Amino acid sequence: MSTRTSSGTARTTLVFALITAATLGLTACSGGEPATAPAGASGAPGAAKGALPTEDVVAAVKENEAAAKLLPADVRQRGSLTFAASVSNPPSAAYLPDGRTVVGVDADFSAAVTKALGLELKREVVGFEAILPALGSGKYDVGTGNFGVTEERRKTIDFVTYINDGQGFAARADSTLKAVTDLTQLCGLKVAVNAGTTFERTLEKNKGRCAEAGKPAYEVNVYSETGAIWMSLQQGRSDVVMNTINGVRYAVTQQRNLKFLNEYRRLDVGFAFRKGTPLAPAFQAAVNGLKADGTYDRILRKWGVTASGIERSQISPSEVPAPKK
C-alpha cells in the first residue's frame, strides 16, 4: 500500500513523476488540455497520440435563468460555489504542465454548470478519499472526482448525474487475461486500485468468491495516486488494474505494452453534495440545459467519451445493478 500524500504541490509533483516514469512518456505536454480516445482509436478526434485539445467548449455558455432561480438565496447573494476536486485520473481531471491548471471532463462540466448558474467557480484540489466526508462539514459546496452513484454513498451523499462511466480492467500486453466477466478470474493475481473507490470496495466485498471456488484469493494493492497504479502494473508488482472505464481506455492509448480488457460495470457519475442539499435542483436543471444547447455533447466529444453520455440528469438515482458474477 502506498503512502498517502497531501493535496497541492506535493500531490502534483508526485503524480507527474509517477506517470512519467510509468508510461515512458505519457502525454507529452504542450499548451492546451489533455485528451482521451475512444476504444480502438489512437487519440482524440483531430489529435495525434499524446496531443492535447485546445478547444474551449465552455466559453459560450450563457446563464440559464430558469436554473439560476432554483438556487438558494444565500448562494445567489454569495455569487460563488466552492468545489472540492480530485485531480489525478485523465480524462476526468488532470493538470496541465504548469502543475496548477486543472482540465478534463470534470473541470469542463464544473465550469459549464457554474456559468449556467451565473456563479463563480472556486476550486480546491482535495484527495479523493477525503472529499465525500468533507462535504458534510460545509467546507465545500460540491465534490467532483468521477464519483459513481452507489446505494452506500446515497445514505450520506446527494448526487446530480452528468455522465455514465464505471469500472474497467487493464493488464500488460503479455498477460493471458481476457475480458474479466467474473471476479474469480482474478484469483491468485494482484489487482491495483485507488484508495476509497468503488473498485476497492467491489474487490474487498467479493474476496470470498475465490475460496468458494477453491482458488487462492486475489490481492488488492491500494494506492492513493493513480500514477502509482500504472507504475505498479508496468513494473510487474501488480497483474491487473481496475479503474474507471474512461481512465483505463485513456491510459492504454498513451502507455506502451498495455491492453484494455473490458468494461466490467457501468455506474452513473455525479456531482456530489451533502445529504439534503438545496443545490441539487439547480444543478440538475443546469446540466439538462447544457444538453439542450449542445454544450454537453461538445464536452464529451472534446474528451473522446461520447459513450458516457446520459439522456438526462437525475438527482440521486438508484445504483445501477452489479453484475451477478
Side-chain angles (χ1 to χ4, degrees), residues 8-274:
T9 304
R11 172 184 290 274
T12 302
T13 302
L14 178 58
V15 170
F16 274 100
L18 289 171
I19 290 178
T20 300
T23 63
L24 305 177
L26 168 63
T27 311
C29 294
S30 57
E33 300 172 326
T36 186
S42 60
K49 179 177 179 179
L52 307 172
T54 58
E55 180 187 7
D56 186 345
V57 293
V58 175
V61 173
K62 306 296 183 183
E63 182 175 345
N64 181 331
E65 293 184 2
K69 287 180 180 179
L70 297 174
L71 288 168
D74 63 322
V75 174
R76 291 200 303 270
Q77 183 175 7
R78 186 203 321 161
S80 65
L81 288 171
T82 302
F83 284 65
S86 171
V87 181
S88 66
N89 195 18
S92 292
Y95 288 105
L96 286 184
D98 61 15
R100 298 183 305 274
T101 306
V102 178
V103 296
V105 176
D106 287 350
D108 277 348
F109 274 115
S110 297
V113 167
T114 50
K115 287 194 70 175
L117 294 175
L119 300 172
E120 176 189 358
L121 168 62
K122 295 182 178 180
R123 180 187 291 112
E124 182 175 334
V125 175
V126 182
F128 177 88
E129 61 271 32
I131 292 177
L132 297 186
L135 291 174
S137 70
K139 183 178 181 180
Y140 308 106
D141 298 304
V142 193
T144 60
N146 201 284
F147 288 111
V149 180
T150 67
E151 294 306 313
E152 179 182 356
R153 287 174 174 168
R154 290 204 315 148
K155 294 175 183 178
T156 57
I157 297 294
D158 281 342
F159 293 93
V160 173
T161 60
Y162 57 98
I163 61 168
N164 178 274
D165 196 347
Q167 304 173 339
F169 290 100
R172 291 185 301 279
D174 60 0
S175 172
T176 59
L177 269 178
K178 305 296 183 183
V180 180
T181 57
D182 188 323
L183 294 180
T184 58
Q185 292 171 248
L186 303 175
C187 296
L189 300 180
K190 297 177 180 179
V191 188
V193 298
N194 278 113
T197 59
T198 61
F199 322 117
E200 180 183 10
R201 284 192 290 276
T202 295
L203 293 173
E204 293 293 349
K205 179 180 179 181
N206 291 281
K207 257 187 172 180
R209 293 189 184 184
C210 292
E212 293 171 0
K215 299 179 179 181
Y218 50 72
E219 179 181 321
V220 184
N221 293 338
V222 182
Y223 298 90
S224 61
E225 301 294 348
T226 301
I229 288 176
W230 296 108
M231 179 179 284
S232 76
L233 184 63
Q234 292 280 16
Q235 294 181 343
R237 290 180 286 109
S238 297
D239 301 298
V240 59
V241 160
M242 187 178 189
N243 205 273
T244 66
I245 294 168
N246 291 336
V248 171
R249 286 193 186 280
Y250 174 86
V252 300
T253 67
Q254 302 300 312
Q255 299 186 45
R256 300 175 184 174
N257 303 319
L258 295 185
K259 63 180 179 180
F260 176 77
L261 296 179
N262 64 297
E263 296 183 7
Y264 177 69
R265 180 188 183 188
R266 281 275 172 177
L267 284 171
D268 290 317
V269 172
F271 294 105
F273 308 83
R274 64 176 175 83

Side-chain angles (χ1 to χ4, degrees), residues 288-311:
N288 287 330
L290 296 174
K291 287 189 64 65
D293 70 18
T295 302
Y296 184 91
D297 288 337
R298 285 191 288 273
I299 293 174
L300 296 187
R301 286 196 299 269
K302 173 182 176 178
W303 297 103
V305 294
T306 54
S308 285
I310 57 176
E311 290 186 8

